[in-house]
């Protein structure tokens, strides 16, 4: 099971953190990759590494997920290189205004976060789902999978740190994925969400390393630790696989039990 030989997986936010980790997880299963991010020099380094380690083909492609023209150019490059894309992982994201209370939250920070974390997922899904549907109809690929990376903060609130725009955007991604799943199911495309708990990334390290947050995690995460590198990969590989053909519209929390209590 979960053999990706000959399949193509596109990952946004693939220059670092969870995006890069999941991309490598797919490469380990034999998938060819389209790595998407703004920092193309990092993508090129990862492309060389993955191709050498796993014997797969990797296309590094500069892409700003908030810019429709940039997305179109990336999709065209993927089509020229491979001619099909079975899996899209929408992992790119970020936020502004974290730590600011709702009553003081800046509208500019709200708009930035919603645009990067939610509107980009809409545009990427729209473009790639349309491409996948045409590929399925033409017999170029057997199925389509879209995996949207949300957050545990898309499922619940939190008492550790104010981050209202992030809660709003990630919660919307979860339900956007349900709506998209219902629409795209007849086309042979599934849409699911992964909701990570506390993992180290460039955006989270400073917060997670504080004494306060380490104490908070021990009290609220049943496993009493943060997620380790690569612990998100299994969920992504499963949801993107041919075998997961009857799983759609679901939100899977990889969180050490945080949302279970």
């Amino acid at each position: 099971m979960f053999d990706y030989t000959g399949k193509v997986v596109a990952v946004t936010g693939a220059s670092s953190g969870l995006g890069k980790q999941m991309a490598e997880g797919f490469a380990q299963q034999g998938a060819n990759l389209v790595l998407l991010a703004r920092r193309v020099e990092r993508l090129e380094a990862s492309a060389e590494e993955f191709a050498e380690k796993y014997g797969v083909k990797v296309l590094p492609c500069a892409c700003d997920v908030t810019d429709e023209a940039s997305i179109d150019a990336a999709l065209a490059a993927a089509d020229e290189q491979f001619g099909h894309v079975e899996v899209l992982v929408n992992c790119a994201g970020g936020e502004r205004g974290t730590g600011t209370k709702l009553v003081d939250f800046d509208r500019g920070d709200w708009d930035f976060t919603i645009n990067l974390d939610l509107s980009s997922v809409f545009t990427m899904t729209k473009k790639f789902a349309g491409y996948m549907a045409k590929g399925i109809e033409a017999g170029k690929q057997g199925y389509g999978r879209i995996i949207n990376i949300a957050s545990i903060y898309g499922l619940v609130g939190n008492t550790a740190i104010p981050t209202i725009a992030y809660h709003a955007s990630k919660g919307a991604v979860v339900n956007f994925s349900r709506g998209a799943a219902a629409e795209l199911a007849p086309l042979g495309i599934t849409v699911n969400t992964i909701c990570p708990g506390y993992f180290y990334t460039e955006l989270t390290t400073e917060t997670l390393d504080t004494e306060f947050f380490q104490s908070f995690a021990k009290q609220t995460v049943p496993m009493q630790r943060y997620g380790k590198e690569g612990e998100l990969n299994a969920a992504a590989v499963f949801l993107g696989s041919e075998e997961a053909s009857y799983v759609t519209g679901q939100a899977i929390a990889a969180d050490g039990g945080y949302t279970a209590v």
Side-chain angles (χ1 to χ4, degrees), residues 6-12 32-37 43 57-63 69-89 124 127-129 131-132 135 140-141:
K7 305 295 192 299
V8 178
V9 178
V11 183
T12 72
N32 297 320
L33 300 174
V34 181
L35 303 181
L36 305 170
L43 299 181
K57 297 178 182 178
V58 186
L59 173 66
C61 192
C63 182
S70 182
I71 294 171
D72 286 338
L75 184 52
D79 180 51
E80 181 178 357
Q81 177 76 15
F82 297 113
H84 57 97
V85 175
E86 278 77 12
V87 182
L88 168 66
V89 181
M124 287 292 299
K127 299 287 185 178
F128 274 78
Y131 177 77
M132 290 174 179
K140 294 181 179 181
Q141 60 189 80

mmCIF file of all heavy atoms in Angstrom, residues 6-12 32-37 43 57-63 69-89 124 127-129 131-132 135 140-141:
data_model
loop_
_atom_site.group_PDB
_atom_site.id
_atom_site.type_symbol
_atom_site.label_atom_id
_atom_site.label_comp_id
_atom_site.label_asym_id
_atom_site.label_seq_id
_atom_site.Cartn_x
_atom_site.Cartn_y
_atom_site.Cartn_z
ATOM 1 N N GLY A 6 5.451 6.964 -9.895
ATOM 2 C CA GLY A 6 4.791 7.517 -11.067
ATOM 3 C C GLY A 6 3.785 8.603 -10.762
ATOM 4 O O GLY A 6 3.291 9.275 -11.674
ATOM 5 N N LYS A 7 3.450 8.810 -9.495
ATOM 6 C CA LYS A 7 2.510 9.858 -9.099
ATOM 7 C C LYS A 7 3.270 11.180 -8.891
ATOM 8 O O LYS A 7 4.466 11.194 -8.619
ATOM 9 C CB LYS A 7 1.783 9.480 -7.810
ATOM 10 C CG LYS A 7 1.056 8.140 -7.849
ATOM 11 C CD LYS A 7 -0.078 8.144 -8.845
ATOM 12 C CE LYS A 7 -0.982 6.918 -8.671
ATOM 13 N NZ LYS A 7 -0.269 5.645 -8.876
ATOM 14 N N VAL A 8 2.539 12.277 -9.002
ATOM 15 C CA VAL A 8 3.122 13.608 -8.809
ATOM 16 C C VAL A 8 2.415 14.296 -7.651
ATOM 17 O O VAL A 8 1.178 14.359 -7.611
ATOM 18 C CB VAL A 8 3.000 14.462 -10.083
ATOM 19 C CG1 VAL A 8 3.557 15.864 -9.843
ATOM 20 C CG2 VAL A 8 3.724 13.802 -11.244
ATOM 21 N N VAL A 9 3.196 14.809 -6.715
ATOM 22 C CA VAL A 9 2.669 15.502 -5.536
ATOM 23 C C VAL A 9 3.204 16.925 -5.523
ATOM 24 O O VAL A 9 4.422 17.136 -5.553
ATOM 25 C CB VAL A 9 3.071 14.780 -4.239
ATOM 26 C CG1 VAL A 9 2.560 15.546 -3.020
ATOM 27 C CG2 VAL A 9 2.549 13.352 -4.226
ATOM 28 N N ALA A 10 2.321 17.901 -5.469
ATOM 29 C CA ALA A 10 2.699 19.313 -5.369
ATOM 30 C C ALA A 10 2.488 19.788 -3.931
ATOM 31 O O ALA A 10 1.438 19.525 -3.341
ATOM 32 C CB ALA A 10 1.869 20.163 -6.329
ATOM 33 N N VAL A 11 3.487 20.466 -3.387
ATOM 34 C CA VAL A 11 3.432 20.921 -1.992
ATOM 35 C C VAL A 11 3.766 22.398 -1.935
ATOM 36 O O VAL A 11 4.847 22.818 -2.377
ATOM 37 C CB VAL A 11 4.419 20.138 -1.106
ATOM 38 C CG1 VAL A 11 4.296 20.582 0.348
ATOM 39 C CG2 VAL A 11 4.202 18.634 -1.230
ATOM 40 N N THR A 12 2.863 23.215 -1.391
ATOM 41 C CA THR A 12 3.170 24.621 -1.165
ATOM 42 C C THR A 12 3.846 24.774 0.201
ATOM 43 O O THR A 12 3.736 23.909 1.064
ATOM 44 C CB THR A 12 1.917 25.503 -1.220
ATOM 45 O OG1 THR A 12 1.110 25.279 -0.048
ATOM 46 C CG2 THR A 12 1.091 25.218 -2.460
ATOM 47 N N ASN A 32 7.110 11.654 -7.411
ATOM 48 C CA ASN A 32 7.764 12.816 -7.994
ATOM 49 C C ASN A 32 7.139 14.062 -7.383
ATOM 50 O O ASN A 32 5.962 14.052 -7.004
ATOM 51 C CB ASN A 32 7.600 12.820 -9.515
ATOM 52 C CG ASN A 32 8.263 11.621 -10.172
ATOM 53 O OD1 ASN A 32 9.357 11.206 -9.776
ATOM 54 N ND2 ASN A 32 7.605 11.052 -11.176
ATOM 55 N N LEU A 33 7.912 15.134 -7.293
ATOM 56 C CA LEU A 33 7.475 16.293 -6.519
ATOM 57 C C LEU A 33 7.480 17.581 -7.332
ATOM 58 O O LEU A 33 8.345 17.784 -8.194
ATOM 59 C CB LEU A 33 8.386 16.497 -5.310
ATOM 60 C CG LEU A 33 8.484 15.371 -4.286
ATOM 61 C CD1 LEU A 33 9.558 15.699 -3.245
ATOM 62 C CD2 LEU A 33 7.144 15.134 -3.604
ATOM 63 N N VAL A 34 6.531 18.447 -7.001
ATOM 64 C CA VAL A 34 6.560 19.846 -7.407
ATOM 65 C C VAL A 34 6.646 20.652 -6.119
ATOM 66 O O VAL A 34 5.692 20.680 -5.329
ATOM 67 C CB VAL A 34 5.307 20.243 -8.209
ATOM 68 C CG1 VAL A 34 5.399 21.715 -8.624
ATOM 69 C CG2 VAL A 34 5.136 19.349 -9.429
ATOM 70 N N LEU A 35 7.784 21.264 -5.881
ATOM 71 C CA LEU A 35 8.002 22.033 -4.654
ATOM 72 C C LEU A 35 7.705 23.500 -4.925
ATOM 73 O O LEU A 35 8.314 24.121 -5.802
ATOM 74 C CB LEU A 35 9.450 21.869 -4.174
ATOM 75 C CG LEU A 35 9.929 20.437 -3.910
ATOM 76 C CD1 LEU A 35 11.380 20.452 -3.427
ATOM 77 C CD2 LEU A 35 9.033 19.746 -2.891
ATOM 78 N N LEU A 36 6.786 24.059 -4.157
ATOM 79 C CA LEU A 36 6.314 25.422 -4.386
ATOM 80 C C LEU A 36 6.558 26.297 -3.162
ATOM 81 O O LEU A 36 6.187 25.941 -2.046
ATOM 82 C CB LEU A 36 4.811 25.408 -4.703
ATOM 83 C CG LEU A 36 4.377 24.523 -5.873
ATOM 84 C CD1 LEU A 36 2.859 24.419 -5.916
ATOM 85 C CD2 LEU A 36 4.909 25.071 -7.178
ATOM 86 N N ALA A 37 7.183 27.436 -3.376
ATOM 87 C CA ALA A 37 7.406 28.421 -2.317
ATOM 88 C C ALA A 37 8.018 29.661 -2.966
ATOM 89 O O ALA A 37 8.372 29.647 -4.150
ATOM 90 C CB ALA A 37 8.315 27.881 -1.221
ATOM 91 N N LEU A 43 14.234 25.649 -2.341
ATOM 92 C CA LEU A 43 13.585 24.568 -3.072
ATOM 93 C C LEU A 43 14.591 23.820 -3.937
ATOM 94 O O LEU A 43 14.535 22.591 -4.039
ATOM 95 C CB LEU A 43 12.472 25.128 -3.965
ATOM 96 C CG LEU A 43 11.326 25.863 -3.274
ATOM 97 C CD1 LEU A 43 10.313 26.326 -4.314
ATOM 98 C CD2 LEU A 43 10.646 24.979 -2.232
ATOM 99 N N LYS A 57 11.933 12.424 -9.397
ATOM 100 C CA LYS A 57 12.070 13.677 -10.125
ATOM 101 C C LYS A 57 11.438 14.799 -9.301
ATOM 102 O O LYS A 57 10.354 14.636 -8.748
ATOM 103 C CB LYS A 57 11.377 13.577 -11.479
ATOM 104 C CG LYS A 57 11.972 12.532 -12.404
ATOM 105 C CD LYS A 57 11.195 12.452 -13.711
ATOM 106 C CE LYS A 57 11.773 11.375 -14.620
ATOM 107 N NZ LYS A 57 10.998 11.259 -15.890
ATOM 108 N N VAL A 58 12.149 15.919 -9.217
ATOM 109 C CA VAL A 58 11.670 17.027 -8.387
ATOM 110 C C VAL A 58 11.766 18.333 -9.173
ATOM 111 O O VAL A 58 12.821 18.687 -9.679
ATOM 112 C CB VAL A 58 12.484 17.152 -7.084
ATOM 113 C CG1 VAL A 58 11.873 18.214 -6.179
ATOM 114 C CG2 VAL A 58 12.566 15.815 -6.363
ATOM 115 N N LEU A 59 10.650 19.047 -9.243
ATOM 116 C CA LEU A 59 10.606 20.349 -9.893
ATOM 117 C C LEU A 59 10.487 21.441 -8.840
ATOM 118 O O LEU A 59 9.444 21.557 -8.185
ATOM 119 C CB LEU A 59 9.401 20.421 -10.844
ATOM 120 C CG LEU A 59 9.123 21.785 -11.486
ATOM 121 C CD1 LEU A 59 10.252 22.180 -12.421
ATOM 122 C CD2 LEU A 59 7.775 21.776 -12.204
ATOM 123 N N PRO A 60 11.539 22.236 -8.623
ATOM 124 C CA PRO A 60 11.421 23.384 -7.723
ATOM 125 C C PRO A 60 10.831 24.552 -8.494
ATOM 126 O O PRO A 60 11.267 24.869 -9.601
ATOM 127 C CB PRO A 60 12.876 23.660 -7.318
ATOM 128 C CG PRO A 60 13.698 23.171 -8.478
ATOM 129 C CD PRO A 60 12.910 22.071 -9.147
ATOM 130 N N CYS A 61 9.829 25.190 -7.934
ATOM 131 C CA CYS A 61 9.111 26.221 -8.677
ATOM 132 C C CYS A 61 8.731 27.379 -7.762
ATOM 133 O O CYS A 61 8.007 27.197 -6.791
ATOM 134 C CB CYS A 61 7.859 25.609 -9.300
ATOM 135 S SG CYS A 61 7.069 26.657 -10.519
ATOM 136 N N ALA A 62 9.231 28.572 -8.083
ATOM 137 C CA ALA A 62 8.878 29.756 -7.300
ATOM 138 C C ALA A 62 7.392 30.030 -7.439
ATOM 139 O O ALA A 62 6.855 30.061 -8.546
ATOM 140 C CB ALA A 62 9.683 30.956 -7.777
ATOM 141 N N CYS A 63 6.723 30.219 -6.314
ATOM 142 C CA CYS A 63 5.272 30.450 -6.353
ATOM 143 C C CYS A 63 4.841 31.254 -5.139
ATOM 144 O O CYS A 63 5.111 30.877 -3.997
ATOM 145 C CB CYS A 63 4.518 29.125 -6.397
ATOM 146 S SG CYS A 63 2.716 29.303 -6.498
ATOM 147 N N ALA A 69 -1.504 34.913 -10.771
ATOM 148 C CA ALA A 69 -0.631 34.733 -11.928
ATOM 149 C C ALA A 69 0.542 33.823 -11.593
ATOM 150 O O ALA A 69 0.968 33.007 -12.421
ATOM 151 C CB ALA A 69 -0.133 36.091 -12.418
ATOM 152 N N SER A 70 1.055 33.953 -10.389
ATOM 153 C CA SER A 70 2.155 33.103 -9.946
ATOM 154 C C SER A 70 1.711 31.650 -9.852
ATOM 155 O O SER A 70 2.447 30.724 -10.225
ATOM 156 C CB SER A 70 2.687 33.590 -8.594
ATOM 157 O OG SER A 70 3.784 32.807 -8.162
ATOM 158 N N ILE A 71 0.498 31.426 -9.372
ATOM 159 C CA ILE A 71 -0.053 30.071 -9.282
ATOM 160 C C ILE A 71 -0.237 29.480 -10.682
ATOM 161 O O ILE A 71 0.109 28.320 -10.935
ATOM 162 C CB ILE A 71 -1.387 30.083 -8.521
ATOM 163 C CG1 ILE A 71 -1.164 30.483 -7.058
ATOM 164 C CG2 ILE A 71 -2.071 28.716 -8.596
ATOM 165 C CD1 ILE A 71 -2.449 30.737 -6.287
ATOM 166 N N ASP A 72 -0.764 30.285 -11.597
ATOM 167 C CA ASP A 72 -0.956 29.809 -12.970
ATOM 168 C C ASP A 72 0.369 29.402 -13.599
ATOM 169 O O ASP A 72 0.456 28.382 -14.297
ATOM 170 C CB ASP A 72 -1.605 30.909 -13.809
ATOM 171 C CG ASP A 72 -3.083 31.112 -13.493
ATOM 172 O OD1 ASP A 72 -3.707 30.174 -12.955
ATOM 173 O OD2 ASP A 72 -3.604 32.209 -13.782
ATOM 174 N N ALA A 73 1.406 30.200 -13.366
ATOM 175 C CA ALA A 73 2.720 29.897 -13.933
ATOM 176 C C ALA A 73 3.279 28.607 -13.349
ATOM 177 O O ALA A 73 3.878 27.788 -14.066
ATOM 178 C CB ALA A 73 3.676 31.062 -13.674
ATOM 179 N N ALA A 74 3.083 28.400 -12.042
ATOM 180 C CA ALA A 74 3.573 27.182 -11.391
ATOM 181 C C ALA A 74 2.848 25.951 -11.914
ATOM 182 O O ALA A 74 3.465 24.907 -12.169
ATOM 183 C CB ALA A 74 3.411 27.298 -9.884
ATOM 184 N N LEU A 75 1.544 26.063 -12.088
ATOM 185 C CA LEU A 75 0.760 24.938 -12.601
ATOM 186 C C LEU A 75 1.156 24.607 -14.035
ATOM 187 O O LEU A 75 1.254 23.432 -14.418
ATOM 188 C CB LEU A 75 -0.726 25.255 -12.507
ATOM 189 C CG LEU A 75 -1.708 24.150 -12.924
ATOM 190 C CD1 LEU A 75 -1.406 22.841 -12.197
ATOM 191 C CD2 LEU A 75 -3.132 24.592 -12.658
ATOM 192 N N ALA A 76 1.410 25.645 -14.830
ATOM 193 C CA ALA A 76 1.855 25.426 -16.203
ATOM 194 C C ALA A 76 3.204 24.723 -16.232
ATOM 195 O O ALA A 76 3.443 23.833 -17.065
ATOM 196 C CB ALA A 76 1.936 26.765 -16.943
ATOM 197 N N ALA A 77 4.100 25.091 -15.314
ATOM 198 C CA ALA A 77 5.412 24.449 -15.243
ATOM 199 C C ALA A 77 5.284 22.984 -14.843
ATOM 200 O O ALA A 77 5.979 22.106 -15.389
ATOM 201 C CB ALA A 77 6.305 25.192 -14.254
ATOM 202 N N ALA A 78 4.389 22.704 -13.900
ATOM 203 C CA ALA A 78 4.159 21.319 -13.483
ATOM 204 C C ALA A 78 3.588 20.494 -14.624
ATOM 205 O O ALA A 78 3.973 19.335 -14.844
ATOM 206 C CB ALA A 78 3.224 21.286 -12.276
ATOM 207 N N ASP A 79 2.664 21.096 -15.364
ATOM 208 C CA ASP A 79 2.063 20.398 -16.498
ATOM 209 C C ASP A 79 3.100 20.096 -17.573
ATOM 210 O O ASP A 79 3.128 18.992 -18.137
ATOM 211 C CB ASP A 79 0.941 21.251 -17.079
ATOM 212 C CG ASP A 79 0.266 20.594 -18.265
ATOM 213 O OD1 ASP A 79 -0.130 19.411 -18.140
ATOM 214 O OD2 ASP A 79 0.140 21.237 -19.315
ATOM 215 N N GLU A 80 3.959 21.057 -17.842
ATOM 216 C CA GLU A 80 4.996 20.861 -18.863
ATOM 217 C C GLU A 80 5.980 19.772 -18.455
ATOM 218 O O GLU A 80 6.419 18.973 -19.276
ATOM 219 C CB GLU A 80 5.738 22.177 -19.111
ATOM 220 C CG GLU A 80 6.814 22.074 -20.186
ATOM 221 C CD GLU A 80 7.501 23.396 -20.455
ATOM 222 O OE1 GLU A 80 7.111 24.423 -19.840
ATOM 223 O OE2 GLU A 80 8.446 23.424 -21.268
ATOM 224 N N GLN A 81 6.316 19.746 -17.151
ATOM 225 C CA GLN A 81 7.299 18.785 -16.657
ATOM 226 C C GLN A 81 6.727 17.376 -16.548
ATOM 227 O O GLN A 81 7.372 16.400 -16.928
ATOM 228 C CB GLN A 81 7.813 19.224 -15.286
ATOM 229 C CG GLN A 81 8.791 18.272 -14.617
ATOM 230 C CD GLN A 81 10.183 18.334 -15.215
ATOM 231 O OE1 GLN A 81 10.501 19.270 -15.947
ATOM 232 N NE2 GLN A 81 11.014 17.344 -14.922
ATOM 233 N N PHE A 82 5.500 17.257 -16.019
ATOM 234 C CA PHE A 82 4.952 15.934 -15.692
ATOM 235 C C PHE A 82 3.681 15.561 -16.455
ATOM 236 O O PHE A 82 3.415 14.380 -16.667
ATOM 237 C CB PHE A 82 4.674 15.850 -14.189
ATOM 238 C CG PHE A 82 5.899 15.970 -13.336
ATOM 239 C CD1 PHE A 82 6.085 17.084 -12.518
ATOM 240 C CD2 PHE A 82 6.858 14.972 -13.329
ATOM 241 C CE1 PHE A 82 7.217 17.184 -11.712
ATOM 242 C CE2 PHE A 82 7.985 15.071 -12.531
ATOM 243 C CZ PHE A 82 8.175 16.187 -11.724
ATOM 244 N N GLY A 83 2.850 16.547 -16.782
ATOM 245 C CA GLY A 83 1.618 16.265 -17.499
ATOM 246 C C GLY A 83 0.461 15.841 -16.626
ATOM 247 O O GLY A 83 -0.652 15.618 -17.118
ATOM 248 N N HIS A 84 0.674 15.743 -15.320
ATOM 249 C CA HIS A 84 -0.390 15.368 -14.383
ATOM 250 C C HIS A 84 0.066 15.674 -12.966
ATOM 251 O O HIS A 84 1.256 15.708 -12.680
ATOM 252 C CB HIS A 84 -0.744 13.878 -14.506
ATOM 253 C CG HIS A 84 0.426 12.955 -14.303
ATOM 254 N ND1 HIS A 84 0.709 12.344 -13.105
ATOM 255 C CD2 HIS A 84 1.393 12.550 -15.167
ATOM 256 C CE1 HIS A 84 1.795 11.595 -13.230
ATOM 257 N NE2 HIS A 84 2.238 11.704 -14.468
ATOM 258 N N VAL A 85 -0.896 15.884 -12.073
ATOM 259 C CA VAL A 85 -0.628 16.075 -10.640
ATOM 260 C C VAL A 85 -1.727 15.347 -9.879
ATOM 261 O O VAL A 85 -2.895 15.724 -9.968
ATOM 262 C CB VAL A 85 -0.608 17.566 -10.231
ATOM 263 C CG1 VAL A 85 -0.445 17.700 -8.718
ATOM 264 C CG2 VAL A 85 0.495 18.321 -10.957
ATOM 265 N N GLU A 86 -1.361 14.305 -9.148
ATOM 266 C CA GLU A 86 -2.357 13.548 -8.389
ATOM 267 C C GLU A 86 -2.693 14.183 -7.046
ATOM 268 O O GLU A 86 -3.828 14.075 -6.567
ATOM 269 C CB GLU A 86 -1.865 12.116 -8.148
ATOM 270 C CG GLU A 86 -2.076 11.160 -9.308
ATOM 271 C CD GLU A 86 -1.057 11.370 -10.429
ATOM 272 O OE1 GLU A 86 -0.049 12.094 -10.226
ATOM 273 O OE2 GLU A 86 -1.260 10.809 -11.514
ATOM 274 N N VAL A 87 -1.727 14.828 -6.424
ATOM 275 C CA VAL A 87 -1.913 15.319 -5.050
ATOM 276 C C VAL A 87 -1.443 16.762 -4.925
ATOM 277 O O VAL A 87 -0.359 17.118 -5.401
ATOM 278 C CB VAL A 87 -1.135 14.446 -4.038
ATOM 279 C CG1 VAL A 87 -1.377 14.947 -2.603
ATOM 280 C CG2 VAL A 87 -1.509 12.982 -4.167
ATOM 281 N N LEU A 88 -2.253 17.582 -4.282
ATOM 282 C CA LEU A 88 -1.859 18.934 -3.893
ATOM 283 C C LEU A 88 -1.922 19.044 -2.384
ATOM 284 O O LEU A 88 -2.949 18.722 -1.779
ATOM 285 C CB LEU A 88 -2.790 19.976 -4.514
ATOM 286 C CG LEU A 88 -2.656 21.409 -3.962
ATOM 287 C CD1 LEU A 88 -1.296 22.004 -4.310
ATOM 288 C CD2 LEU A 88 -3.793 22.295 -4.467
ATOM 289 N N VAL A 89 -0.841 19.498 -1.777
ATOM 290 C CA VAL A 89 -0.815 19.777 -0.342
ATOM 291 C C VAL A 89 -0.683 21.284 -0.151
ATOM 292 O O VAL A 89 0.346 21.876 -0.509
ATOM 293 C CB VAL A 89 0.351 19.050 0.364
ATOM 294 C CG1 VAL A 89 0.319 19.352 1.868
ATOM 295 C CG2 VAL A 89 0.299 17.558 0.106
ATOM 296 N N MET A 124 -5.611 28.048 -4.884
ATOM 297 C CA MET A 124 -4.827 26.862 -5.227
ATOM 298 C C MET A 124 -5.740 25.675 -5.502
ATOM 299 O O MET A 124 -5.553 24.926 -6.469
ATOM 300 C CB MET A 124 -3.866 26.513 -4.089
ATOM 301 C CG MET A 124 -2.681 27.449 -3.932
ATOM 302 S SD MET A 124 -1.484 27.357 -5.283
ATOM 303 C CE MET A 124 -0.953 25.648 -5.178
ATOM 304 N N LYS A 127 -7.645 26.091 -8.872
ATOM 305 C CA LYS A 127 -6.800 25.880 -10.043
ATOM 306 C C LYS A 127 -6.410 24.413 -10.206
ATOM 307 O O LYS A 127 -6.526 23.845 -11.300
ATOM 308 C CB LYS A 127 -5.542 26.741 -9.925
ATOM 309 C CG LYS A 127 -5.790 28.234 -9.859
ATOM 310 C CD LYS A 127 -6.209 28.806 -11.195
ATOM 311 C CE LYS A 127 -6.327 30.320 -11.128
ATOM 312 N NZ LYS A 127 -6.684 30.921 -12.439
ATOM 313 N N PHE A 128 -5.933 23.812 -9.137
ATOM 314 C CA PHE A 128 -5.431 22.449 -9.243
ATOM 315 C C PHE A 128 -6.564 21.436 -9.385
ATOM 316 O O PHE A 128 -6.409 20.427 -10.072
ATOM 317 C CB PHE A 128 -4.542 22.116 -8.046
ATOM 318 C CG PHE A 128 -3.114 22.538 -8.241
ATOM 319 C CD1 PHE A 128 -2.736 23.860 -8.101
ATOM 320 C CD2 PHE A 128 -2.137 21.606 -8.574
ATOM 321 C CE1 PHE A 128 -1.421 24.266 -8.291
ATOM 322 C CE2 PHE A 128 -0.819 21.987 -8.765
ATOM 323 C CZ PHE A 128 -0.453 23.322 -8.632
ATOM 324 N N ALA A 129 -7.700 21.693 -8.740
ATOM 325 C CA ALA A 129 -8.830 20.778 -8.888
ATOM 326 C C ALA A 129 -9.324 20.770 -10.330
ATOM 327 O O ALA A 129 -9.647 19.710 -10.889
ATOM 328 C CB ALA A 129 -9.959 21.158 -7.945
ATOM 329 N N TYR A 131 -7.519 21.397 -12.942
ATOM 330 C CA TYR A 131 -6.492 20.687 -13.708
ATOM 331 C C TYR A 131 -6.604 19.177 -13.504
ATOM 332 O O TYR A 131 -6.524 18.396 -14.460
ATOM 333 C CB TYR A 131 -5.116 21.183 -13.274
ATOM 334 C CG TYR A 131 -3.957 20.472 -13.929
ATOM 335 C CD1 TYR A 131 -3.588 20.764 -15.235
ATOM 336 C CD2 TYR A 131 -3.236 19.508 -13.231
ATOM 337 C CE1 TYR A 131 -2.520 20.110 -15.842
ATOM 338 C CE2 TYR A 131 -2.178 18.850 -13.831
ATOM 339 C CZ TYR A 131 -1.819 19.154 -15.136
ATOM 340 O OH TYR A 131 -0.769 18.499 -15.729
ATOM 341 N N MET A 132 -6.789 18.758 -12.253
ATOM 342 C CA MET A 132 -6.929 17.331 -11.952
ATOM 343 C C MET A 132 -8.145 16.734 -12.657
ATOM 344 O O MET A 132 -8.082 15.632 -13.207
ATOM 345 C CB MET A 132 -7.062 17.123 -10.437
ATOM 346 C CG MET A 132 -5.816 17.388 -9.633
ATOM 347 S SD MET A 132 -6.177 17.280 -7.853
ATOM 348 C CE MET A 132 -4.551 17.614 -7.162
ATOM 349 N N GLY A 135 -7.436 16.110 -16.168
ATOM 350 C CA GLY A 135 -6.512 14.992 -16.299
ATOM 351 C C GLY A 135 -7.186 13.646 -16.103
ATOM 352 O O GLY A 135 -6.895 12.672 -16.810
ATOM 353 N N LYS A 140 -5.167 10.877 -18.058
ATOM 354 C CA LYS A 140 -3.768 11.132 -17.718
ATOM 355 C C LYS A 140 -3.457 10.749 -16.274
ATOM 356 O O LYS A 140 -2.296 10.547 -15.917
ATOM 357 C CB LYS A 140 -3.429 12.606 -17.938
ATOM 358 C CG LYS A 140 -3.483 13.048 -19.393
ATOM 359 C CD LYS A 140 -3.106 14.511 -19.522
ATOM 360 C CE LYS A 140 -3.121 14.967 -20.978
ATOM 361 N NZ LYS A 140 -2.735 16.391 -21.115
ATOM 362 N N GLN A 141 -4.477 10.693 -15.427
ATOM 363 C CA GLN A 141 -4.311 10.312 -14.036
ATOM 364 C C GLN A 141 -5.581 9.638 -13.554
ATOM 365 O O GLN A 141 -6.662 9.882 -14.089
ATOM 366 C CB GLN A 141 -3.977 11.519 -13.163
ATOM 367 C CG GLN A 141 -5.030 12.617 -13.151
ATOM 368 C CD GLN A 141 -4.545 13.872 -12.451
ATOM 369 O OE1 GLN A 141 -3.816 14.669 -13.014
ATOM 370 N NE2 GLN A 141 -4.944 14.030 -11.190
#
